[in-house]
Amino acid sequence: MGPLPRVNIDEPKYDQNSYLGRAKHFFLLTNPLNVLASDSKLEEARQIVLRYRAGKDVPECKTIDDVWRAKYLYDSAFHPETGEKQIVIGRMAAQMPMNTIITGGMMAFYKTTPAVVFWQWFNQTFNAIVNYTNRSGTSPISQQQLITSYCLATSGALVTALSLNRAVKNMNPLLGRLVPLVAVGAANCINIPCMRMQELRNGVTLFDEHSNEMGISKKAAVVGISTVILSRIAMAIPGMTLTPVLMNVLEKRGFLAKYPRSNAPIQTLFCGFVLIFATPLGCAFFKQRADIKVDSLEAEVRDSIRKKRPDLETVWFNKGL
């Protein structure tokens, strides 16, 4: 067999300019089965990626598809910029199984205050881990910042959930079932900017088309973090709106009265099914390697780039996930 063809494995396998290409990319990246990969499998994938990148032979791979498989396994467990191995539950591949448990719990046990407190706290603890694990680039997060954002997001989610629960008590039961979604949305709006405050304060690194550093922009950080909030909420919407509708139908038909213990398992399994699709489709709303026009950057950043590369109209940055 001849040598493997050379492709740029640092670019995603599929075209990132189309939504379909991004969706295919994130289906591979968020594949929950990647969580089960052993440390030795991950290390093998890492070695394949490093050797192929360096132009060396990779005898373990018979075809270029084997290289791509190793690359997606590597990407599912290692940070795209720092290269460090991520905490298992913070990886994008863990989103679907973890969110299945959390969403199912929040939807099934939304009526009593202790249950609301527990599930919102559990969700924010998980979110804090995910946001920390998938922060953009080498932005260090101080312990104080970590604790502050965690406390703010948890209290924001609890205040939203408990006050809305009180407000919708005597309204249509479907509205009560939708309270967890509003609480999750509110918490995301607090948690993500707090967790990534360093980027908002200091900016994110901008690159040209050849990945050369061109400057640092706070405006790009705001754009990136806003899109992350929107895609996280988009990920939550299908499971947290379709599940209440399904449960309402089952309740009206007397199914839940007949089988009261089926409530939590049905919601959890249904959420899991929805999240298999919602996670990659939500991630795919925006490119991970986001672009921004040089003209729309802060004046000093724009002028600095103009001096280095007068012809450059667009720069790129990693928006995080």
Side-chain angles (χ1 to χ4, degrees):
M1 261 188 77
L4 291 172
R6 304 311 300 175
V7 296
N8 182 2
I9 57 168
D10 291 316
E11 291 290 322
K13 185 178 182 181
Y14 301 102
D15 175 24
Q16 295 300 283
N17 291 318
S18 75
Y19 179 73
L20 188 64
R22 293 196 296 276
K24 285 179 180 175
H25 167 68
F26 281 110
F27 261 106
L28 293 176
L29 201 60
T30 61
N31 178 357
L33 296 175
N34 287 344
V35 172
L36 305 174
S38 64
D39 281 350
S40 59
K41 262 273 178 249
L42 292 176
E43 185 51 36
E44 185 189 334
R46 191 174 82 90
Q47 290 303 330
I48 290 171
V49 168
L50 294 177
R51 290 207 310 276
Y52 185 85
R53 244 187 215 149
K56 295 177 183 167
D57 272 351
V58 277
E60 305 94 319
C61 300
K62 302 281 178 280
T63 66
I64 194 67
D65 279 340
D66 293 340
V67 176
W68 277 118
R69 257 191 292 278
K71 177 64 167 64
Y72 272 101
L73 184 57
Y74 169 81
D75 283 347
S76 77
F78 296 89
H79 192 281
E81 282 167 292
T82 62
E84 66 182 68
K85 191 187 282 182
Q86 299 172 321
I87 314 154
V88 174
I89 61 167
R91 296 174 194 168
M92 285 320 268
Q95 283 275 316
M96 180 255 156
M98 288 299 294
N99 277 325
T100 298
I101 297 163
I102 292 167
T103 312
M106 282 198 286
M107 305 302 256
F109 310 106
Y110 65 95
K111 286 181 177 171
T112 68
T113 301
V116 170
V117 170
F118 172 76
W119 285 105
Q120 291 296 340
W121 163 81
F122 190 64
N123 185 40
Q124 287 320 309
T125 305
F126 173 63
N127 276 347
I129 294 168
V130 171
N131 293 337
Y132 176 75
T133 310
N134 293 287
R135 67 201 179 283
S136 175
T138 47
S139 311
I141 296 180
S142 69
Q143 213 163 359
Q144 183 194 353
Q145 199 184 331
L146 203 61
I147 294 163
T148 308
S149 59
Y150 173 56
C151 294
L152 283 172
T154 307
S155 46
L158 286 175
V159 167
T160 311
L162 295 172
S163 48
L164 282 175
N165 261 356
R166 209 162 293 131
V168 300
K169 209 164 226 165
N170 302 316
M171 295 184 194
N172 184 322
L174 183 59
L175 290 175
R177 291 186 188 277
L178 290 169
V179 166
L181 173 63
V182 183
V184 164
N188 271 332
C189 293
I190 302 165
N191 195 333
I192 297 170
C194 285
M195 214 43 144
R196 294 173 61 176
M197 190 56 74
Q198 290 300 97
E199 290 167 55
L200 294 172
R201 279 201 195 119
N202 307 330
V204 289
T205 308
L206 304 170
F207 300 93
D208 67 6
E209 69 275 32
H210 304 299
S211 297
N212 301 313
E213 287 191 23
M214 298 307 293
I216 289 173
S217 165
K218 293 178 191 173
K219 193 167 182 186
V222 172
V223 171
I225 289 168
S226 307
T227 58
V228 169
I229 292 170
L230 288 173
S231 53
R232 289 282 181 89
I233 293 172
M235 269 188 240
I237 286 173
M240 294 185 111
T241 51
L242 296 174
T243 312
V245 170
L246 170 75
M247 299 317 286
N248 233 35
V249 169
L250 293 178
E251 196 166 37
K252 280 181 180 163
R253 294 194 172 171
F255 184 86
L256 295 182
K258 200 171 174 186
Y259 306 103
R261 285 191 175 170
S262 67
N263 183 15
I266 286 174
Q267 299 212 45
T268 307
L269 289 170
F270 186 71
C271 279
F273 174 73
V274 171
L275 282 165
I276 288 173
F277 302 98
T279 304
L281 295 178
C283 283
F285 276 128
F286 305 98
K287 300 176 201 172
Q288 187 172 356
R289 191 171 187 249
D291 55 70
I292 188 166
K293 292 279 177 215
V294 173
D295 286 342
S296 62
L297 294 166
E298 305 92 311
E300 66 276 14
V301 183
R302 185 178 62 229
D303 296 345
S304 157
I305 293 173
R306 287 264 177 270
K307 275 182 198 148
K308 293 180 202 166
R309 288 273 310 271
D311 59 317
L312 194 63
E313 288 183 12
T314 306
V315 282
W316 288 264
F317 62 97
N318 175 22
K319 71 167 178 63
L321 281 173

